[in-house]
Amino acid sequence: MGLLDGKRLLITGVITEASIAFAVAKAAQQEGAQVVLTGFGRLSLVERVARKLPAQAPVIELDVTDADQLAALADRVRARVDGLDGVLHAIGFAPPSCLGEDFLDTPWHDVAKAIEVSAYSLKSLATATAPLFGPAGGSIVGLTFDATVAWPAYDWMGVAKAGLEATARYLARELGGRGVRVNLVSAGPLRTMAATSIPGFAAFEDAWAQRAPLGWDHTDAAPVARSVLALLSDWFPATTAEIVHVDGGFHAMGV
């Protein structure tokens, strides 16, 4: 038996094979789950990547800032599966001005976009998919990058991640009565398309190489994917509002 036998999962954020979301989708199928993907923008690109999964997964268009698409999401998912047991939120975006070394000069409209897409969207996705969870509830898992400290160049995206982490805690409180768990995985730096767009990303790699006691492979998303799968499974029935660090232990080390 697989860890996720019979589970129905909605996975957002698949862009390329290097995406954490792709690693999650691939591992989830290998563990017996039925997977539906969402994509934004160039759906043909997501569909091409979806064909590289063990079993090709259907792709639904979803812009988490579009109220009409969010309102239609439950029905569009039901056209592929008869409900959901789990959701992966792997969505993040910040305009270029939000990243780099111009923290004090970034305009509000750019900051607002980063927060809307990267933090508020967790609430949007949760409420849009809530009708798909059955009486037994389910699991919502998001991806973060440790927002307890200030990182060089991460700037307003770090603020957005702090908002994401707070949002997850409040969602856990609101959805717990429905049996829905909400947790985050705080991953170490991986060479995804999003990460490599951050100015000075190499500095993160260098820091992890020096300080992570278990070491860290910047090209291997499998450890993160496995942790996400564990939280999506039935093996954490009483865990919610948690942030699981999958970073080689970096977060606990001093200078």
Side-chain angles (χ1 to χ4, degrees):
M1 286 184 61
L3 183 66
L4 297 174
D5 274 352
K7 297 293 186 187
R8 302 152 301 174
L9 306 179
L10 183 69
I11 295 179
T12 68
V14 172
I15 302 174
T16 70
E17 288 181 81
S19 304
I20 296 174
F22 179 86
V24 172
K26 180 179 179 179
Q29 287 186 340
Q30 291 169 338
E31 291 295 332
Q34 187 174 2
V35 170
V36 177
L37 307 178
T38 74
F40 171 67
R42 294 176 58 190
L43 284 190
S44 61
L45 177 60
V46 181
E47 290 166 347
R48 189 180 312 129
V49 174
R51 289 194 286 271
K52 298 180 181 180
L53 291 169
Q56 184 174 347
V59 178
I60 296 172
E61 183 177 13
L62 178 63
D63 176 353
V64 289
T65 68
D66 187 317
D68 291 336
Q69 288 191 17
L70 288 165
L73 181 61
D75 287 339
R76 298 188 71 187
V77 171
R78 283 195 191 96
R80 277 81 174 177
V81 291
D82 58 359
L84 287 178
D85 303 289
V87 175
L88 173 67
H89 178 280
I91 298 169
F93 170 77
S97 66
C98 292
L99 299 163
E101 301 298 338
D102 296 319
F103 184 85
L104 298 180
D105 297 322
T106 306
W108 165 244
H109 59 82
D110 285 352
V111 173
K113 177 58 67 176
I115 292 173
E116 180 184 18
V117 177
S118 305
Y120 185 79
S121 65
L122 180 62
K123 192 283 301 184
S124 301
L125 186 63
T127 54
T129 56
L132 296 165
F133 287 101
S139 175
I140 298 173
V141 180
L143 300 175
T144 189
F145 188 70
D146 190 358
T148 62
V149 297
W151 298 101
Y154 207 46
D155 288 12
W156 287 102
M157 192 58 165
V159 175
K161 289 296 187 183
L164 175 73
E165 294 177 6
T167 301
R169 289 189 288 270
Y170 279 91
L171 281 173
R173 186 184 68 177
E174 296 295 325
L175 299 178
R178 307 182 197 181
V180 176
R181 295 168 281 123
V182 184
N183 295 289
L184 300 178
V185 170
S186 182
L190 291 165
R191 289 180 189 168
T192 63
M193 182 182 294
T196 54
S197 68
I198 300 171
F201 178 74
F204 291 85
E205 296 184 333
D206 294 342
W208 252 259
Q210 296 169 13
R211 289 175 50 190
L214 290 178
W216 186 251
D217 184 346
H218 304 91
T219 64
D220 184 11
V224 178
R226 291 173 185 171
S227 300
V228 170
L229 261 57
L231 290 169
L232 288 170
S233 77
D234 295 329
W235 282 94
F236 285 87
T239 299
T240 195
E242 187 60 85
I243 300 176
V244 178
H245 289 82
V246 185
D247 63 354
F250 180 96
H251 71 282
M253 298 298 107
V255 175

